[in-house]
């Protein structure tokens, strides 16, 4: 078997040419690898964004608009309870006012955004909308914790005996404390929902029609249903941002 020994370079021109061939080969290989990686990341980004858009459209988004639509109605129902207690209304009247307080109990999810973060997708730009996605999804755990807190505090409002005469001072104090706590809960939930809605508007996120119909059915069971439904539809139309004073996210 013949073995071809490497030929010595006769001059610097041959040596430089050989080095250039090697360097060009390495650059071509690296460029090809970068093209493949860019294609893979673009695929991951597209997949993650589609999943997040679906999560918002079918779950979190409708709930955000529902919460904003309900905020004034919730405040009004709590104000009525406070007014009845403070003017010394009968137990029956106070119980009737308490019965008008109604808040849908939801969970607020961010599984697809969390999965995108764990996969490193958010570090690759999400088509330059990373900041707005972060702004929107940052409010989901806030809303989730707020919903649980509100659910627990609502029990205190309903813990009134349905029998007996006039409310005692101790009962009045407990009711007023529950009303004040729930009023603050409602305002905190509305603030978080406004920020999330602003981010959704910047991302042009729409609402799934079936999810919208689901939330409208829920709203039909609340006091002032017609007004809440009209406001919900207006908010979900995305014609105008819900708020305009939220600072832009840092990119």
């Amino acid at each position: 078997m013949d073995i071809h020994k490497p030929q010595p370079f006769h001059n610097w021109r041959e040596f430089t040419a050989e080095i250039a061939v090697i360097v060009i080969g390495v650059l071509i290989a690296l460029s090809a690898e970068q093209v493949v990686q860019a294609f893979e990341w673009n695929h991951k980004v597209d997949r993650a964004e589609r999943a997040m858009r679906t999560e918002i459209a079918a779950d979190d988004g409708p709930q955000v608009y529902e919460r904003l639509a309900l905020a004034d109605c919730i405040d009004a129902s709590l104000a009525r309870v406070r007014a009845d207690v403070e003017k010394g209304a009968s137990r029956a009247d106070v119980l009737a006012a308490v019965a008008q307080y109604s808040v849908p109990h939801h969970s607020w999810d961010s599984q697809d955004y969390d999965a995108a973060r764990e996969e490193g997708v958010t570090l690759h730009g999400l088509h330059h909308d990373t900041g707005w996605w972060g702004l929107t999804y940052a409010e989901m755990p806030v809303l989730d914790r707020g919903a649980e807190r509100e659910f627990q505090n609502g029990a205190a409002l309903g813990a009134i005996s349905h029998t007996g005469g006039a409310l005692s001072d101790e009962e009045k104090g407990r009711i007023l404390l529950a009303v004040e706590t729930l009023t603050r809960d409602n305002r905190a939930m509305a603030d978080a929902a406004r920020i999330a809605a602003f981010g959704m508007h910047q991302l042009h996120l729409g609402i799934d029609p079936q999810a919208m119909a689901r939330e409208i059915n829920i709203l039909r069971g609340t006091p002032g249903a017609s007004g809440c439904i009209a406001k919900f539809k207006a908010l979900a139309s995305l014609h105008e941002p819900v708020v305009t004073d939220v600072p832009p996210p840092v990119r």
Side-chain angles (χ1 to χ4, degrees):
M1 180 175 66
D2 294 334
I3 300 176
H4 299 283
K5 297 181 179 179
Q7 298 297 320
F9 296 110
H10 296 292
N11 54 54
W12 281 104
R13 180 178 296 177
E14 291 182 4
F15 175 76
T16 303
E18 188 70 19
I19 293 297
V21 169
I22 294 172
V23 170
I24 291 172
V26 171
L27 290 176
I28 291 173
L30 289 174
S31 297
E33 183 180 6
Q34 289 179 345
V35 169
V36 171
Q37 288 181 345
F39 177 81
E40 291 177 347
W41 276 114
N42 282 334
H43 176 69
K44 289 181 179 180
V45 168
D46 287 339
R47 184 182 61 193
E49 187 166 316
R50 285 196 302 271
M52 291 189 295
R53 284 183 177 275
T54 299
E55 185 172 55
I56 294 294
D59 189 10
D60 292 327
Q63 293 175 184
V64 164
Y65 292 132
E66 176 204 69
R67 186 67 208 204
L68 288 173
L70 280 171
D72 290 342
C73 295
I74 293 171
D75 263 347
S77 64
L78 291 169
R80 178 187 167 188
V81 175
R82 179 190 294 275
D84 281 357
V85 170
E86 290 179 343
K87 72 180 182 182
S90 67
R91 183 180 298 270
D93 287 344
V94 172
L95 287 171
V98 169
Q100 293 298 304
Y101 171 79
S102 177
V103 179
H105 184 54
H106 295 303
S107 62
W108 305 78
D109 305 314
S110 56
Q111 288 95 329
D112 289 312
Y113 180 73
D114 293 339
R117 292 182 63 188
E118 290 176 5
E119 201 172 3
V121 170
T122 55
L123 298 178
H124 284 73
L126 284 173
H127 301 316
H128 309 294
D129 287 329
T130 303
W132 294 122
W133 283 110
L135 178 74
T136 302
Y137 268 106
E139 298 307 312
M140 299 310 158
V142 176
L143 288 162
D144 198 53
R145 292 191 299 269
E148 287 304 313
R149 183 174 62 247
E150 189 176 52
F151 182 76
Q152 297 298 327
N153 292 334
L157 182 64
I160 310 169
S161 175
H162 286 221
T163 61
L167 293 171
S168 67
D169 289 341
E170 189 270 337
E171 286 178 312
K172 291 179 181 179
R174 284 193 289 110
I175 295 170
L176 291 175
L177 177 60
V179 166
E180 181 62 27
T181 302
L182 289 168
T183 299
R184 297 187 183 194
D185 287 343
N186 181 45
R187 290 171 184 170
M189 292 287 285
D191 287 343
R194 284 190 190 94
I195 295 173
F198 184 78
M200 289 164 56
H201 178 82
Q202 298 301 317
L203 293 165
H204 307 289
L205 299 179
I207 301 300
D208 179 78
Q210 291 184 343
M212 192 165 178
R214 179 193 67 213
E215 299 307 320
I216 288 174
N217 283 333
I218 292 174
L219 289 171
R220 285 196 177 104
T222 61
S226 60
C228 289
I229 291 172
K231 187 172 183 179
F232 172 76
K233 290 180 178 179
L235 291 169
S237 69
L238 293 179
H239 290 161
E240 296 292 339
V242 178
V243 290
T244 59
D245 57 349
V246 176
V250 178
R251 301 197 179 207

